[in-house]
Amino acid sequence: MADEMELLKEWIKTSKNIVFFGGAGVSTESNIPDFRSTDGLYNQEYAYPPETILSHSFYKKKPEEFFRFYRNKMLFPNAQPNAAHKALARLEQQGKLKAVITQNIDGLHQKAGSRKVLELHGSVLRNYCEHCGRFYSLEDLMEKKELVPKCNCGGIIKPDVVLYEESLNQKTLEQSVRYISQADMLIVGGTSLTVYPAAGLIDYYRGNKLVLINMAATMRDGIADLIIKRKIGEALSEAVE
């Protein structure tokens, strides 16, 4: 492990165009549960499976059930950035990290100070009226007393998050591909690399410094140049000077 960490430090030191790609494991150290972990949302019992509740068709058919689950299980307004978020923000300030590409929807990378963040699955911090398009913040949404939040015009206020059955934002995908394909170092952390199309983005990396930082094995361990099985916050805070 010591040798692996020394190599990670050396690669960060000598790289000039680093990209970070992260998943739910980046936010678990901020006490935001990982859907697919042993104690995650997917292993708890609800009237419907979380995959069903978080689908576009369920949102349309049963908005009351969707928002009850969404408010109770998807919103963490008091969550704070952890060591991983802060280390990545420092890397960006040093001019080494060019982009954070995240599957998370919590906005913690920006809260830690990262400026170039590509949110593949949207953000709970942004909400909009489906009828008139008016923007609502997370605070605005939480202040709404009715179970299904409504705009003044009567339209439903939808979170700007990508639900199952919905497509990822094409512009965000294209930007992610561009950053990854141009990177001289790609650090992947806190993701099992099982959710597509997001997981397929690492196939666009052309360099020889692909680092996977994850507590458990991932689907793509076989193509990694360096594998570090540690908590992402510990590893990054130690590696980033």
Side-chain angles (χ1 to χ4, degrees), residues 120-228:
L120 294 172
H121 295 156
S123 173
V124 299
L125 304 183
R126 300 187 300 269
N127 306 270
Y128 62 92
C129 172
E130 289 192 294
H131 181 67
C132 73
R134 178 178 173 180
F135 173 85
Y136 287 86
S137 67
L138 175 58
E139 291 74 22
D140 293 333
L141 184 73
M142 296 183 72
E143 286 174 3
K144 295 285 183 179
K145 299 305 180 187
E146 66 268 42
L147 184 56
V148 179
K150 296 285 184 66
C151 176
N152 294 339
C153 76
I156 294 178
I157 301 171
K158 183 182 185 296
D160 188 15
V161 298
V162 180
L163 302 177
Y164 288 99
E165 303 167 352
E166 294 181 341
S167 299
L168 302 190
N169 180 279
Q170 192 61 34
K171 182 179 178 182
T172 304
L173 269 178
E174 291 171 357
Q175 284 185 305
S176 299
V177 168
R178 187 169 70 251
Y179 275 106
I180 288 175
S181 63
Q182 294 174 354
D184 60 6
M185 180 178 185
L186 177 61
I187 304 174
V188 181
T191 173
S192 57
L193 293 173
T194 56
V195 179
Y196 284 80
L201 287 172
I202 70 171
D203 292 332
Y204 290 95
Y205 178 60
R206 295 291 177 260
N208 58 0
K209 298 176 186 174
L210 173 57
V211 183
L212 299 186
I213 306 174
N214 205 51
M215 292 295 289
T218 77
M219 299 291 289
R220 311 303 289 278
D221 281 10
I223 66 170
D225 299 299
L226 176 62
I227 297 173
I228 297 176

Side-chain angles (χ1 to χ4, degrees), residues 10-167:
E10 180 62 24
W11 282 2
I12 289 176
K13 186 177 180 180
T14 57
S15 298
K16 298 179 181 178
N17 189 342
I18 303 172
V19 171
F20 178 80
F21 176 81
V26 177
S27 291
T28 53
E29 291 171 51
S30 294
N31 296 316
I32 295 179
D34 176 355
F35 271 31
R36 292 168 181 78
S37 68
T38 304
D39 300 317
L41 294 179
Y42 278 31
N43 288 278
Q44 298 175 20
E45 293 184 6
Y46 299 96
Y48 303 89
E51 304 100 318
T52 299
I53 298 174
L54 295 174
S55 68
H56 179 80
S57 55
F58 190 92
Y59 164 77
K60 286 295 187 183
K61 292 176 186 175
K62 297 180 179 290
E64 295 86 359
E65 287 295 314
F66 170 86
F67 276 104
R68 183 177 291 111
F69 180 89
Y70 182 78
R71 289 176 185 270
N72 290 339
K73 298 297 180 183
M74 303 297 292
L75 301 180
F76 298 87
N78 298 319
Q80 296 298 320
N82 59 53
H85 300 109
K86 294 173 183 176
L88 291 167
R90 289 199 301 275
L91 261 187
E92 185 185 59
Q93 290 162 7
Q94 294 169 11
K96 289 182 170 291
L97 183 72
K98 303 307 179 183
V100 168
I101 301 167
T102 181
Q103 295 172 281
N104 296 333
I105 58 176
D106 49 50
L108 291 181
H109 283 293
Q110 294 93 325
K111 198 169 186 178
S114 290
R115 299 172 66 87
K116 189 61 181 180
V117 181
L118 301 176
E119 296 172 312
L120 294 172
H121 295 156
S123 173
V124 299
L125 304 183
R126 300 187 300 269
N127 306 270
Y128 62 92
C129 172
E130 289 192 294
H131 181 67
C132 73
R134 178 178 173 180
F135 173 85
Y136 287 86
S137 67
L138 175 58
E139 291 74 22
D140 293 333
L141 184 73
M142 296 183 72
E143 286 174 3
K144 295 285 183 179
K145 299 305 180 187
E146 66 268 42
L147 184 56
V148 179
K150 296 285 184 66
C151 176
N152 294 339
C153 76
I156 294 178
I157 301 171
K158 183 182 185 296
D160 188 15
V161 298
V162 180
L163 302 177
Y164 288 99
E165 303 167 352
E166 294 181 341
S167 299

